[in-house]
Amino acid sequence: TSSTSNYTTLIFDIGDVLFSWSPQTKTSISPETLREFLSSPTWIDYERGRITQAECYAGVGAEFSVDPTEVGRAFQDARNSLQSNEELISVIRHLKARSDGMLHVFAMSNISAPDYEFLRTKPVDWSLFDGIFTSAGVGERKPNLGFYKAVISSTGADPSRTIFVDDKMENVLSARSLGMHGIVFDDRRKVVRALYNLLGDPVERGRQYLTVNAKKLLSVTDNGTFLRENFSQLLILEATDNRGLVDLTDTHRTWNFFQGKPLLTTEEFPFDLDTTSLGLTVTSSPEDVAHSVMDDMLDYIDDDGIIQTYFDHRRPRFDPVVCVNALTLFYSYGRGHQLDRTLHWIREVLLHRAYLDGTRYYATPECFLYFLGRLLEISNDIYLAAYIKPLLIERIQERIGADGDALALSMRLRLCAYLGLRNDVDLRTLLPLQCEDGGWEIGWIYKYGSSGIRIGNRGLTTSLAVKAIQEMQQRFPSPPSSPSAVPAVPLVKQAYTTAQSPPERFFKLQRKSDTPTTPTGSIAATPSASIRQDL
């Protein structure tokens, strides 16, 4: 079960949360003046049950130089304008119904006895509430702590397992100061989303989103164009191990990024080494085909020894992430030594943080770091790990807590889990980014090299987010001792033990070569002088 579904109590404010009302009346009293009445000492006494309605209207009239009868008429109009927030009430009903009796719902309102009596005549499903607490009944008002303590005492609620929703910041602050999870009701959609995220299991909801949208998990550009492409589909397949979720172009050898007609680029779009490397490591390909493709790839290495992006000599482009993905293919078949100079350059990119603004084709620093982690995990090569892993640990630690979209956070978390680094900071940021439908917000992964138009895929972000949460929970089952202090704690000893694999393979490799962990022809067998020096 997710650690975020531990809440057992919901407490809602009534006015401006469960009910809306209008201060616009048919009287001479302006909406501004009416609101001023509500914060006057006389009204506060009235809400605490200390004076009668007649005394209140007379006191307010005297204080603001208004006829008490006019005050009474204005408040009658305001009461008549009360409208229940049916959408929010139906969300609460749904959350309560699916909790198997574990969730208790209360209302807590600053309201006078006569106004509450009138409110109860409204056609609302009042049975939804396990209790309603009014300031008049308790003799205390929000934000005074006494009101909250009386409710906690009467309900037996555990503040650390209670969610409190109110439209006033100071009321939420008091609730938080007593240990509750406070939500300011400033945007209905945002609050509903927060409730689903706090009370639901993120993994279960994420999986549900993927299932409902199976085969329709399309990519989209930042200008709203939908794309059918293979790369994100392969990554979703790798993260979920569920072929039924994705729509892939069947290929016998090399892969193209696009499925069908290329969009927003040249009519003829060449097959590329990046998608091909991913395709051959994620899907089961005959070994002779993979070797034959790698033989072809070796024709696309420039004078610096760096492998290129396209199977097209007229497009000489290179990108560190593409290099990493090609290295992953070569290492998975025991041929990593053939891309020695590419590997050296990749380490220089890592060492000098050349990736910090993304790369030609990849939008974020996390893309480079994530695919490097994937290379280490799939290759399972101790010499490669010794060459890259300590530096990768340093570099990912530098990114913890940095700004990032849901995809960047998911990539960061998966890499931290693989490297044995606890990262509660980014996990806390990722969880609230889950949407009402269970999927995560889009995150940008790649971009068109020439125009810079970014491409993202909610299915990809969701599948990596689900995996990231699972892996963090498996690797670090106990929550941090103090929720307020959430440092990213590196398990340095564990992280540096390159020979020890994590409990589960994070990047699932379908096609494994028959070669041993350090095959002949890998760095292990033929370390170049410069690698020996670096080691």
Side-chain angles (χ1 to χ4, degrees):
T1 310
S2 155
S3 58
T4 56
S5 54
N6 286 338
Y7 294 101
T8 54
T9 306
L10 271 177
I11 301 176
F12 287 92
D13 176 30
I14 293 180
D16 291 318
V17 175
L18 294 172
F19 281 83
S20 59
W21 64 283
S22 170
Q24 191 77 52
T25 69
K26 295 175 191 142
T27 67
S28 60
I29 297 166
S30 70
E32 294 71 34
T33 306
L34 193 72
R35 286 198 182 274
E36 280 179 47
F37 290 174
L38 299 179
S39 51
S40 68
T42 306
W43 190 267
I44 288 169
D45 277 347
Y46 178 46
E47 283 188 335
R48 291 169 84 173
R50 293 181 175 179
I51 56 175
T52 65
Q53 183 173 281
E55 288 170 327
C56 170
Y57 291 173
V60 165
E63 198 178 329
F64 290 89
S65 308
V66 180
D67 181 352
T69 317
E70 188 80 342
V71 173
R73 276 204 299 272
F75 278 111
Q76 189 53 53
D77 285 355
R79 276 197 291 263
N80 290 336
S81 75
L82 279 165
Q83 294 282 332
S84 59
N85 183 343
E86 280 307 320
E87 191 182 350
L88 178 60
I89 289 168
S90 107
V91 167
I92 299 166
R93 188 182 297 112
H94 172 66
L95 289 169
K96 191 174 183 183
R98 72 173 197 189
S99 75
D100 295 328
M102 294 298 292
L103 187 64
H104 300 285
V105 179
F106 300 98
M108 178 178 170
S109 179
N110 288 345
I111 191 169
S112 68
D115 286 339
Y116 178 59
E117 209 175 300
F118 179 84
L119 184 72
R120 286 303 296 253
T121 65
K122 292 286 178 181
V124 167
D125 178 12
W126 294 103
S127 68
L128 181 61
F129 299 94
D130 296 287
I132 296 174
F133 297 88
T134 67
S135 54
V138 175
E140 291 275 15
R141 240 181 127 264
K142 295 177 289 187
N144 294 356
L145 300 183
F147 194 1
Y148 299 80
K149 288 175 180 173
V151 172
I152 290 167
S153 165
S154 177
T155 60
D158 173 351
S160 70
R161 302 182 73 183
T162 298
I163 298 167
F164 176 87
V165 183
D166 196 294
D167 64 304
K168 293 188 172 56
M169 181 63 237
E170 63 268 29
N171 296 349
V172 172
L173 189 146
S174 290
R176 286 176 182 162
S177 78
L178 293 169
M180 298 183 201
H181 183 98
I183 300 176
V184 179
F185 191 89
D186 51 5
D187 176 294
R188 186 175 42 77
R189 287 261 59 84
K190 196 173 85 181
V191 172
V192 168
R193 174 171 165 172
L195 290 172
Y196 275 116
N197 287 343
L198 290 164
L199 293 163
D201 178 341
V203 169
E204 195 184 306
R205 291 176 61 225
R207 282 183 180 148
Q208 212 170 356
Y209 171 83
L210 294 170
T211 306
V212 166
N213 294 285
K215 307 252 183 215
K216 296 178 293 190
L217 299 164
L218 297 185
S219 296
V220 64
T221 65
D222 56 11
N223 62 12
T225 306
F226 282 93
L227 297 177
R228 291 188 176 274
E229 48 92 358
N230 287 310
F231 201 90
S232 63
Q233 300 298 302
L234 287 163
L235 287 175
I236 293 168
L237 175 58
E238 183 174 62
T240 61
D241 197 20
N242 184 348
R243 186 77 193 230
L245 294 178
V246 298
D247 187 14
L248 281 168
T249 304
D250 282 331
T251 179
H252 300 295
R253 258 181 77 74
T254 52
W255 290 72
N256 197 299
F257 175 78
F258 291 102
Q259 296 179 0
K261 190 173 183 286
L263 289 176
L264 308 175
T265 184
T266 52
E267 288 270 327
E268 292 296 313
F269 195 77
F271 282 60
D272 66 279
L273 282 74
D274 201 21
T275 314
T276 299
S277 296
L278 189 66
L280 292 174
T281 50
V282 172
T283 64
S284 300
S285 300
E287 198 157 334
D288 58 335
V289 171
H291 281 293
S292 155
V293 172
M294 283 184 277
D295 293 342
D296 290 351
M297 286 181 172
L298 292 172
D299 287 338
Y300 296 90
I301 292 178
D302 69 11
D303 294 343
D304 298 310
I306 295 169
I307 199 160
Q308 302 294 288
T309 298
Y310 297 107
F311 289 102
D312 183 348
H313 290 295
R314 291 163 306 171
R315 286 198 192 216
R317 314 266 192 275
F318 65 97
D319 181 292
V321 181
V322 180
C323 291
V324 170
N325 290 335
L327 280 162
T328 303
L329 173 63
F330 275 73
Y331 267 97
S332 66
Y333 284 92
R335 294 176 60 170
H337 65 289
Q338 293 181 304
L339 297 181
D340 242 9
R341 291 170 74 193
T342 295
L343 176 65
H344 284 302
W345 182 62
I346 287 306
R347 193 178 186 281
E348 292 299 297
V349 169
L350 183 65
L351 177 66
H352 298 295
R353 304 178 184 83
Y355 53 83
L356 274 181
D357 290 311
T359 67
R360 179 179 172 87
Y361 297 112
Y362 286 86
T364 63
E366 278 70 25
C367 291
F368 176 70
L369 299 174
Y370 175 81
F371 284 109
L372 253 186
R374 183 177 178 272
L375 164 64
L376 292 185
E377 211 280 330
I378 286 176
S379 68
N380 199 20
D381 184 297
I382 57 171
Y383 293 89
L384 181 64
Y387 186 53
I388 297 289
K389 197 171 189 176
L391 187 54
L392 182 60
I393 287 168
E394 274 183 46
R395 293 293 174 263
I396 194 62
Q397 282 178 301
E398 294 168 355
R399 297 294 304 159
I400 289 170
D403 286 346
D405 62 27
L407 183 68
L409 292 166
S410 301
M411 287 180 158
R412 206 183 290 166
L413 284 161
R414 290 202 68 196
L415 184 53
C416 284
Y418 168 63
L419 295 171
L421 302 171
R422 180 166 200 145
N423 183 356
D424 297 307
V425 177
D426 289 325
L427 187 57
R428 283 192 202 288
T429 308
L430 176 67
L431 289 168
L433 298 180
Q434 192 168 17
C435 302
E436 214 179 307
D437 60 10
W440 264 263
E441 292 177 359
I442 200 162
W444 307 112
I445 178 166
Y446 21 71
K447 55 190 180 177
Y448 284 88
S450 48
S451 64
I453 293 169
R454 296 173 302 171
I455 303 169
N457 185 304
R458 282 193 72 203
L460 174 60
T461 303
T462 301
S463 58
L464 291 192
V466 164
K467 204 77 176 142
I469 294 162
Q470 283 179 304
E471 287 163 357
M472 272 291 161
Q473 287 174 347
Q474 285 161 4
R475 201 76 198 257
F476 308 103
S478 59
S481 50
S482 163
S484 54
V486 287
V489 185
L491 303 186
V492 175
K493 210 168 186 181
Q494 197 174 355
Y496 279 80
T497 313
T498 53
Q500 251 185 348
S501 283
E504 207 186 308
R505 283 178 76 77
F506 293 104
F507 305 99
K508 193 167 188 303
L509 177 59
Q510 310 259 359
R511 155 77 248 156
K512 287 186 191 168
S513 75
D514 301 322
T515 48
T517 306
T518 51
T520 308
S522 74
I523 280 187
T526 55
S528 64
S530 55
I531 290 184
R532 280 200 299 272
Q533 204 174 342
D534 281 319
L535 289 175

